[in-house]
Amino acid sequence: MHEMSLAENVLRLIEDSARTQQFKRVRSVVLEIGKLSSVEPDAMRFCFDAVVADSIAQGARLDIIETCGQGWCASCQCNVPVAARYDPCPLCGAYQISITQGDAMRVKELEVE
Amino acid sequence: MCVTCGCGVGQTLIGGHALRQSKRAGGTLKFRAPQAIEPLPAVEPAEIQPSRMIKIERDILAKNNDYAAENRRMLVDHGVFALNLVSSPGSGKTTLLVKTITALNGELPLAVIEGDQQTENDAERIRAAGAPAIQINTGRGCHLEALMVGQAMHRLNLSDDSLLLIENVGNLVCPASFDLGEAHKVVILSVTEGEDKPLKYPDMFRAADLMILNKCDLLPYLEFDADLAIEYARRINPDLQVIRLSATSGVGMAEWLEWITAGCQRMSRQA
Ligand SMILES: Nc1nc2c(ncn2[C@@H]2O[C@H](COP(=O)(O)OP(=O)(O)O)[C@@H](O)[C@H]2O)c(=O)[nH]1
Ligand SMILES: [Mg+2]
Ligand SMILES: [Zn+2]
Ligand SMILES: [Zn+2]
Ligand SMILES: [Zn+2]
């Protein structure tokens, strides 16, 4: 996945929030990145620093909360760990798993002044 | 470490093994002898700005999704049937568009948005075929975003009840995540690529509603198993429609044109 443009999208959300919430500087940004979202946290950090230079979030600390993949297997009727999207159920081998966790990529909160 | 259940969640795999984050030095730890510590000079406490936390809880793609919803609303209002064509570079997107424009021969008003990192070449190929086209150069960007497409749509002056064909940047990865407001994503897989592309790039085959298996004229010269490629694609997306086609020989073009015409009729405001 393409962290540079995702980082630009994060900055757009921050700038939106700055307009409505009236802040001048961002100290830290908390993201939730699921293991199944195909976002590479290290690449995200690198791109974020580059993208926020000269913006309201220049120098802000990026905290990334990582969540693992989980899904619901309809044939086993239980939650199972999911290593990669479209993998079969590790218990029964069926392919119809609905992802319940780990596909998010979300801006959770900001510390601002 | 994952905060929800505490498991390790490394992303990068090297030969199936997680990337090591740090190299721990072996051997015993050594301690320095304690040194006399000089007292630090007193410092004035810096003025501390009060900070506060703001909850956002928005998807990173939320802005793009907002712009895409705006595009979709405008397309629906004007009865425009929009397709987002995605594939690896060289699968034949531009060739298919040129042949489609020629085959439709003005029967259906249409316009094209061309996405490439550099050059105006593809838009020129489309204009030479007789359709209005606008080129978006994304520079380093590897996909089209809804904001770019919205602006291109305004500059194209789309006719009501028309067809809009969007050729995305050649890339099977991120265009899957960026909604442009289209009615359908159409993924083009050519038979000179591997049968297992749908398994390697599942997100794209999942996001698409139609797969065009292109360059079928080359099948006699290749060891490509078309049935297997389609089986893999449907393992990822059981509802995927498939058209076997050759943009150069014209095989399958009639089926593709029928699919387009049916979509335009569904979308049309007169319907
Ligand atoms: N043999 C054959 N070649 C094709 C076909 N469609 C496209 N090509 C060739 O594939 C190359 C790349 O095509 P192009 O349309 O530029 O691909 P794009 O990058 O997806 O837009 C060109 O040399 C085309 O002539 C096809 O159906 N059969
Ligand atoms: Mg092209
Ligand atoms: Zn199961
Ligand atoms: Zn976990
Ligand atoms: Zn991209």
Side-chain angles (χ1 to χ4, degrees), chain B residues 142-164:
Chain B
C142 39
H143 58 265
L144 292 177
E145 296 196 12
L147 180 64
M148 309 168 183
V149 168
Q151 291 172 7
M153 271 163 45
H154 280 289
R155 292 186 47 192
L156 272 172
N157 279 323
L158 300 174
S159 333
D160 285 356
D161 300 336
S162 64
L163 171 66
L164 175 63

Side-chain angles (χ1 to χ4, degrees), chain B residues 208-224:
Chain B
D209 295 312
L210 173 68
M211 172 169 103
I212 298 225
L213 191 63
N214 191 30
K215 307 197 188 178
C216 280
D217 57 294
L218 299 178
L219 280 172
Y221 313 102
L222 302 166
E223 276 174 40
F224 185 92

Side-chain angles (χ1 to χ4, degrees), chain B residues 42-54:
Chain B
V43 280
E44 291 293 315
E47 203 185 317
I48 294 165
Q49 292 284 329
S51 76
R52 59 191 164 115
M53 300 302 295
I54 294 180

Side-chain angles (χ1 to χ4, degrees), chain A residues 1-2 5 9 16 21-22 27 35 40 65-66 68 86 101 105-112, chain B residues 2-4 9 11-12 49 51-58 60 63 142-143 174 177 202-203:
Chain A
M1 170 61 80
H2 296 253
S5 74
N9 281 273
D16 263 16
Q21 305 276 333
Q22 311 285 329
R27 275 197 202 171
K35 180 184 163 59
E40 184 63 56
I65 297 175
E66 294 182 63
C68 69
Y86 316 110
Q101 180 197 295
M105 34 182 202
R106 187 177 297 136
V107 182
K108 289 190 73 69
E109 54 182 359
L110 309 175
E111 185 188 0
V112 303
Chain B
C2 163
V3 288
T4 317
V9 286
Q11 284 262 344
T12 309
Q49 292 284 329
S51 76
R52 59 191 164 115
M53 300 302 295
I54 294 180
K55 282 253 168 279
I56 304 284
E57 296 294 352
R58 291 194 78 192
I60 291 181
K63 282 302 275 187
C142 39
H143 58 265
C174 45
S177 321
D203 292 340

